[in-house]
Amino acid sequence: MSRILDQRILLLVISFSASMQSTKVLSKWKKCGDPECEKAMSRVQATMDYSGPDCRYLNFKAGEEIMVYSKLSRENENLWTGSKGKDFGYFPRDAVKVEEVLIGEEVEVLTKETDFLCLHEDKYTFE
């Protein structure tokens, strides 16, 4: 009986740590094309296939076009945020090449907790 209880506790710990990872703040700052981060900053093309570690990340294949809306800054400058069709999420800047810059100047703003939640079917998923 205690072995079953130990396994359940282990599964609970693993589940909790996975949910904490998927809501973790990735950076306190981001750069955008406007203070509301609504303007597309650039159009990029994927140079490789990419599959992210959780639902906050944008998955894509080499050659696909992505619109960039923000870039994390300061403590985590490697991640950009963008969309491909209806899909939206983070991806490494090293996985794309810039095709067209759409703004003249970047604005640095604080991130919000909601920037790091999963978005499924137009609803936030709280884990």
Side-chain angles (χ1 to χ4, degrees), residues 70-89:
S70 69
K71 302 172 181 179
L72 296 185
S73 61
R74 298 191 188 189
E75 63 265 18
N76 192 359
E77 296 186 353
N78 184 49
L79 289 177
W80 290 2
T81 313
S83 67
K84 174 191 71 140
K86 292 182 180 181
D87 297 329
F88 187 85

Side-chain angles (χ1 to χ4, degrees), residues 74-124:
R74 298 191 188 189
E75 63 265 18
N76 192 359
E77 296 186 353
N78 184 49
L79 289 177
W80 290 2
T81 313
S83 67
K84 174 191 71 140
K86 292 182 180 181
D87 297 329
F88 187 85
Y90 293 95
F91 59 91
R93 71 179 182 185
D94 299 345
V96 299
K97 68 178 178 182
V98 176
E99 294 285 308
E100 181 181 11
V101 176
L102 304 172
I103 58 159
E105 190 174 323
E106 295 177 349
V107 178
E108 190 171 50
V109 297
L110 284 167
T111 60
K112 302 174 206 158
E113 189 175 307
T114 54
D115 289 340
F116 305 104
L117 299 174
C118 294
L119 183 61
H120 289 297
E121 299 174 4
D122 301 327
K123 293 183 270 183
Y124 284 112

Side-chain angles (χ1 to χ4, degrees), residues 22-63:
S22 67
T23 57
K24 183 176 129 186
V25 172
L26 301 171
S27 178
K28 292 181 183 177
W29 295 91
K30 63 183 175 181
K31 293 180 181 176
C32 301
D34 63 281
E36 293 77 31
C37 297
E38 294 176 352
K39 283 185 184 176
M41 299 176 72
S42 59
R43 182 176 53 81
V44 299
Q45 184 177 41
T47 57
M48 62 174 65
D49 293 355
Y50 177 74
S51 180
D54 62 47
C55 59
R56 297 175 298 170
Y57 291 80
L58 182 66
N59 299 319
F60 49 79
K61 302 275 186 209

Side-chain angles (χ1 to χ4, degrees), residues 12-24:
L12 181 63
V13 168
I14 290 170
S15 174
F16 178 74
S17 84
S19 71
M20 289 302 292
Q21 181 181 20
S22 67
T23 57
K24 183 176 129 186

